Amino acid sequence: QVHKNANSRSLIKGTGIGLAIMAENSTILGSESVKKRDEDSDDVYYSPFWGIEKGAVLQEARCFNDSQLDARKCQQVITKLLYLCNQGDTFTKTEATEVFFSVTKLFQSKDSNLRRMVYLIIKEVCPSSDEVIIVTSSLMKDMNSKVDLYRSNAIRVLCSITDAGLLGQIERYLKQAVVDKNSVVSSAALVSGIHLLKINADIVRRWSNEIQEAINSSHPMVQFHALSLLHQIRQSDRLAVSKLVTQLTKSNIRSPLAQCSIIRYVSQVISQIVPSDNAPRPFFDFLEGCLRNKSEMVIFEAARAIINLKEVTSRELQPAVSVLQLFLSSSKPVLRFGAVRAINQIALKNPLSVTNCNLDMENLISDQNRSIATLAITTLLKTGNESSIERLMKQITVFVSDIQDEFKIVVVQAIQTLCLKFPHKHRTLVNFLSNILREEGGFAFKKAIVDSVFCIIKNIPDAKDPGLTHLSEFIEDCEFTYLSSQILHLLGSEGPQTTDPSKYIRYIYNRVVLENAAIRASAISALSKFGAECPLLRSRVLTLLYRCLHDSDDEVRDRATLCVKKLEKLSLHEVDGINGQRVTDYALQDLENSLHSYISGSTISPYSISNVRSASQESKTDHGISKSLAKAGYDNNFSEDVSSILEQPNLLSNPLFSAYGSVFKSSKPINLTEAETEYKVTCIVHMFRSHVVFEFKCTNTIEEQLLEDISVSMEMNEGTDFLIENSTISLDRMPLGDEGSAFVIFDRKEGVFEQAKFSCVLRFTSKEIDPSTGEPEEEGYDDEYTLEDVNLKLTDYLRPTNISSFKKAWDSLSEECECSGDYDIGKREGLQQAVEMVINIIGCQPCEGTEAVPPNSRSHSTLFSGMCVGESQVLIITNFGIDELNNVTMKITARSEQLDISELVHAIISDS
């Protein structure tokens, strides 16, 4: 922003003139509409650009071709064109060309304001390379003009529209402009050089002598721009940057902006140096000296640089904290805000270093700027001691009622952290949270408080009783269904284990009487848990549940019936064999799939609910895997690919597959037919240790047909003979809308990891259905339907796994089974994008948080762990690097128990 603001000053003035003219001329037009508005509104605003249309403005642009130019009218039209450009309107190539040629005629005018508007519109229209030559001569003439304002603007415009070929012709003029006596011209040339580095860096590098001379300029802005350009030229060479920083720290640069830039360059150099235990930190004396600068900007930048140092010590922080403490009592709000935010950042890691600032921050609680007051409170909550908590709570109570919800949420989160830090003060803090919970506020604010109380109850056992009591009182007047349901669930889970569980039943049953169906259903579930876990309360709970059996809502009624039956069994000592005396919640998707499998005849064994996972097991496996993968940066498809292992009851319940062992990995469903076709077929590839099972899920969508004896024939089109067809399992019947599965089983040679491609044909016997009777004909005819090809991918042999210590696991594997390779990924927006791409390709789990790339990193390493079919571990180290043109290269080192598995990883990357 500094670059743009400093060098576009004159152009902005030109735009301002145009806007002023527009506003002046539109005042009369807008007077009537203003009168028609609400007379009571005090801040009526009428835009001078209201009702502007592109077609009308292009018609007005014809005034540029008049023989007698009206400079004032031309400025108005250019202002309208600029407004349209900034509002997102686009011009066609013909329109842009016409506007550009018309604007070039305005160079004949001697009006200085119009000339500045012309510069602006030429930059916005951005002529093509064929058209640039038309305006180049006029701009080069202005570059050599005696008017400095023309010279600076012409330099900016010419450099923004020029290409590499034309740059060589104007290089001499630009080098002269860099050392021009006029600061505006010099700054324009320097900033243009920063932009030209992207077009032709070699030419700009030849200006080094002139740039060095500009750094010694007496004008602050010229110093700043010269320093920025010199750093841009050398930034790809770490040694050159280090030498530049060493030189600049010893020079006498007076520009505050330039000094701030030097501090930032110093911080970059320090971050690349590994700190030593004995040796002093390089350049720290320079940063400490900047804390005594006359400019407040430089002082704050130096303090911020010290705060952000790696492994900074309390002794190093002390001078920065002392300066920030002085800023806390400044009369300028921006200084107070910057200081308290910096101290808040220190308090996260070194709270003891800022305890001396507590008295000054307490004075900021009553600051008129609520952002400053909020930061002051949250910092005090992080740095305060146990004895000052009551005093802080009294101050915060007055403050919280005057701030918006977004600030209140920050305060609530800070109080939660403080409560976990000082558990003995939980009563005071939970009471405070309870009080503000009853105040007015939106959903996000109330949810933040409830979540904080949940966290405190979970981590501080003594806070359970008071916390549950406060939440029970809150749901009496809670207007949010989601929060009421969450609290009722917590009461059902934690209430039976409290010292007096009976006191919560009244609050819960009130929800059954007074609330909507969703809350009533949650309340019934909570009551049933009290009855299941508290035998003394069971009869009372049953009495209440009997009253719910005739509820108007189906869900509430069914849930009450189920809970009553369960509790009646417990009363007769018929203990549930699966979950003791607890009411068992089953994973609904697994329960539905197992029942569907049993009814469809896919399994011949008697049905047993013991094969269905409970909800707790589901949350620990399926949900846990998908959540961890999502956190690691995988997309939804990859998460489904792994979790589908747990969602194949048809396969796992079939005794024909029991001899193959457990499923190593199942792919996500692959559609083999179009959505509008007669039959819907999807394929899932199940990988076993020495077998590959292709499951074809088929659905009939034709009302007049019944399909029988459905099977799929597969023929390998691409691949070697590492797969041998074992058998085919057909589907007996497929009525309209029903889904069933046919299987094709292949034997796989162990230790062979290759990909294959199969052509597939669906074969079946079709029988017409008599419309009058609805029964199928006795005889049918054989038919077939060609499906899309099915691929066995290399990633089907790998699945992600978690490990506790990557280094320990890596060292345990032999270097003889290690395989390395370099790859060119191409141009990317940054390293994070490259890492995410590799995560989705490689099919393994990132370890130790290495999937997150630090901002502005030029290199990064990501660690992966996985398992290959046959339960062989594979570990991967990927090293990424990015150059100045955003080209990313990658080195992958894979290590496993077998060399073939390490080579498989490289085959996956090469194939992708």
Coordinates of all heavy atoms in Angstrom, one line a residue, residues 72-98:
R72 N -13.1 20.2 -19.6 CA -13.9 19.8 -18.5 C -14.8 18.6 -18.8 O -14.9 17.7 -18.0 CB -14.7 21.1 -18.0 CG -15.5 20.9 -16.7 CD -16.2 22.2 -16.4 NE -16.9 22.1 -15.1 CZ -16.3 22.4 -14.0 NH1 -15.1 22.8 -13.9 NH2 -17.0 22.3 -12.8
K73 N -15.4 18.6 -19.9 CA -16.3 17.6 -20.3 C -15.6 16.3 -20.5 O -16.0 15.2 -20.1 CB -17.1 17.9 -21.6 CG -18.1 16.9 -22.0 CD -18.8 17.3 -23.3 CE -19.8 16.2 -23.7 NZ -20.6 16.6 -25.0
C74 N -14.4 16.4 -21.1 CA -13.5 15.2 -21.3 C -13.1 14.5 -20.0 O -13.1 13.3 -19.8 CB -12.3 15.5 -22.1 SG -12.7 15.9 -23.8
Q75 N -12.8 15.4 -19.0 CA -12.5 14.9 -17.7 C -13.7 14.1 -17.1 O -13.5 13.1 -16.4 CB -12.1 16.0 -16.7 CG -10.8 16.6 -17.1 CD -10.5 17.8 -16.2 OE1 -10.6 17.7 -15.0 NE2 -10.1 18.9 -16.8
Q76 N -14.9 14.6 -17.2 CA -16.1 14.0 -16.7 C -16.3 12.6 -17.4 O -16.5 11.6 -16.7 CB -17.3 14.8 -17.0 CG -17.4 16.1 -16.2 CD -18.6 16.9 -16.5 OE1 -19.6 16.4 -17.0 NE2 -18.6 18.2 -16.3
V77 N -16.1 12.5 -18.7 CA -16.3 11.3 -19.4 C -15.2 10.2 -18.9 O -15.5 9.1 -18.7 CB -16.3 11.5 -20.9 CG1 -16.3 10.1 -21.6 CG2 -17.4 12.4 -21.3
I78 N -14.0 10.7 -18.8 CA -12.9 9.8 -18.4 C -13.2 9.3 -17.0 O -13.0 8.1 -16.7 CB -11.5 10.5 -18.5 CG1 -11.2 10.7 -19.9 CG2 -10.5 9.6 -17.8 CD1 -9.9 11.5 -20.1
T79 N -13.7 10.2 -16.1 CA -14.0 9.7 -14.7 C -15.1 8.7 -14.8 O -15.1 7.7 -14.0 CB -14.5 11.0 -13.9 OG1 -13.5 12.0 -14.0 CG2 -14.8 10.6 -12.5
K80 N -16.1 8.8 -15.6 CA -17.2 7.8 -15.7 C -16.6 6.5 -16.2 O -16.9 5.4 -15.8 CB -18.3 8.2 -16.7 CG -19.1 9.4 -16.2 CD -20.1 9.8 -17.2 CE -20.9 11.0 -16.7 NZ -21.9 11.5 -17.7
L81 N -15.7 6.5 -17.2 CA -15.0 5.3 -17.7 C -14.2 4.6 -16.6 O -14.3 3.4 -16.5 CB -14.1 5.6 -18.9 CG -14.9 6.1 -20.2 CD1 -13.8 6.6 -21.2 CD2 -15.6 4.9 -20.8
L82 N -13.5 5.4 -15.9 CA -12.7 4.8 -14.8 C -13.7 4.2 -13.7 O -13.4 3.1 -13.2 CB -11.9 5.9 -14.1 CG -10.7 6.4 -14.9 CD1 -10.1 7.6 -14.3 CD2 -9.7 5.3 -15.2
Y83 N -14.8 4.8 -13.5 CA -15.8 4.3 -12.5 C -16.3 2.9 -13.0 O -16.4 2.0 -12.2 CB -16.9 5.2 -12.3 CG -18.0 4.7 -11.5 CD1 -17.9 4.6 -10.1 CD2 -19.2 4.2 -12.1 CE1 -18.9 4.1 -9.3 CE2 -20.2 3.7 -11.3 CZ -20.1 3.7 -9.9 OH -21.1 3.1 -9.2
L84 N -16.6 2.8 -14.3 CA -17.1 1.6 -14.8 C -16.0 0.5 -14.7 O -16.3 -0.7 -14.4 CB -17.5 1.8 -16.3 CG -18.8 2.6 -16.5 CD1 -19.0 2.9 -18.0 CD2 -20.0 2.0 -16.0
C85 N -14.8 0.8 -15.0 CA -13.7 -0.2 -14.9 C -13.6 -0.7 -13.5 O -13.4 -1.9 -13.2 CB -12.4 0.5 -15.4 SG -12.3 0.8 -17.1
N86 N -13.6 0.2 -12.5 CA -13.5 -0.2 -11.1 C -14.7 -0.9 -10.6 O -14.6 -1.6 -9.5 CB -13.1 1.0 -10.3 CG -11.7 1.5 -10.4 OD1 -10.8 1.0 -9.8 ND2 -11.5 2.5 -11.3
Q87 N -15.8 -0.8 -11.2 CA -17.0 -1.5 -10.8 C -17.1 -2.9 -11.4 O -18.0 -3.6 -11.1 CB -18.3 -0.7 -11.2 CG -18.5 0.5 -10.3 CD -18.6 0.3 -8.9 OE1 -19.4 -0.5 -8.4 NE2 -17.8 0.9 -8.1
G88 N -16.1 -3.2 -12.2 CA -16.1 -4.6 -12.8 C -16.6 -4.7 -14.2 O -16.6 -5.8 -14.8
D89 N -17.1 -3.6 -14.8 CA -17.6 -3.6 -16.2 C -16.4 -3.8 -17.1 O -15.3 -3.3 -16.9 CB -18.3 -2.3 -16.6 CG -19.7 -2.2 -15.9 OD1 -20.2 -3.3 -15.6 OD2 -20.1 -1.1 -15.7
T90 N -16.6 -4.7 -18.1 CA -15.5 -5.0 -19.1 C -15.9 -4.4 -20.4 O -17.1 -4.4 -20.8 CB -15.3 -6.5 -19.2 OG1 -16.5 -7.1 -19.5 CG2 -14.8 -7.0 -17.8
F91 N -14.9 -4.0 -21.1 CA -15.1 -3.5 -22.5 C -14.7 -4.6 -23.5 O -13.7 -5.3 -23.3 CB -14.2 -2.2 -22.8 CG -14.6 -1.1 -21.9 CD1 -13.7 -0.6 -20.9 CD2 -15.8 -0.5 -22.0 CE1 -14.0 0.4 -20.1 CE2 -16.1 0.6 -21.2 CZ -15.3 1.1 -20.2
T92 N -15.4 -4.7 -24.6 CA -15.0 -5.6 -25.6 C -13.7 -5.1 -26.3 O -13.3 -3.9 -26.1 CB -16.1 -5.8 -26.7 OG1 -16.3 -4.6 -27.3 CG2 -17.4 -6.3 -26.0
K93 N -13.1 -6.0 -27.1 CA -11.8 -5.5 -27.7 C -12.1 -4.3 -28.6 O -11.3 -3.4 -28.7 CB -11.3 -6.7 -28.5 CG -9.9 -6.4 -29.1 CD -9.2 -7.6 -29.7 CE -7.8 -7.2 -30.2 NZ -7.2 -8.4 -30.9
T94 N -13.2 -4.3 -29.3 CA -13.6 -3.2 -30.2 C -13.8 -1.9 -29.4 O -13.3 -0.9 -29.8 CB -14.8 -3.6 -31.0 OG1 -14.6 -4.8 -31.8 CG2 -15.1 -2.4 -32.0
E95 N -14.6 -2.0 -28.3 CA -14.8 -0.9 -27.5 C -13.6 -0.3 -26.9 O -13.3 0.9 -26.9 CB -15.8 -1.2 -26.4 CG -17.2 -1.6 -26.9 CD -18.1 -2.2 -25.8 OE1 -17.6 -2.6 -24.8 OE2 -19.3 -2.2 -26.0
A96 N -12.7 -1.2 -26.4 CA -11.4 -0.8 -25.8 C -10.6 -0.1 -26.8 O -9.9 0.9 -26.5 CB -10.7 -2.0 -25.1
T97 N -10.5 -0.6 -28.0 CA -9.7 0.0 -29.1 C -10.2 1.4 -29.4 O -9.4 2.3 -29.6 CB -9.7 -0.9 -30.3 OG1 -9.2 -2.2 -29.9 CG2 -8.8 -0.3 -31.4
E98 N -11.5 1.5 -29.5 CA -12.1 2.8 -29.9 C -11.8 3.8 -28.8 O -11.4 5.0 -29.1 CB -13.6 2.7 -30.1 CG -14.0 1.9 -31.4 CD -15.5 1.7 -31.5 OE1 -16.2 2.2 -30.7 OE2 -15.9 1.2 -32.6

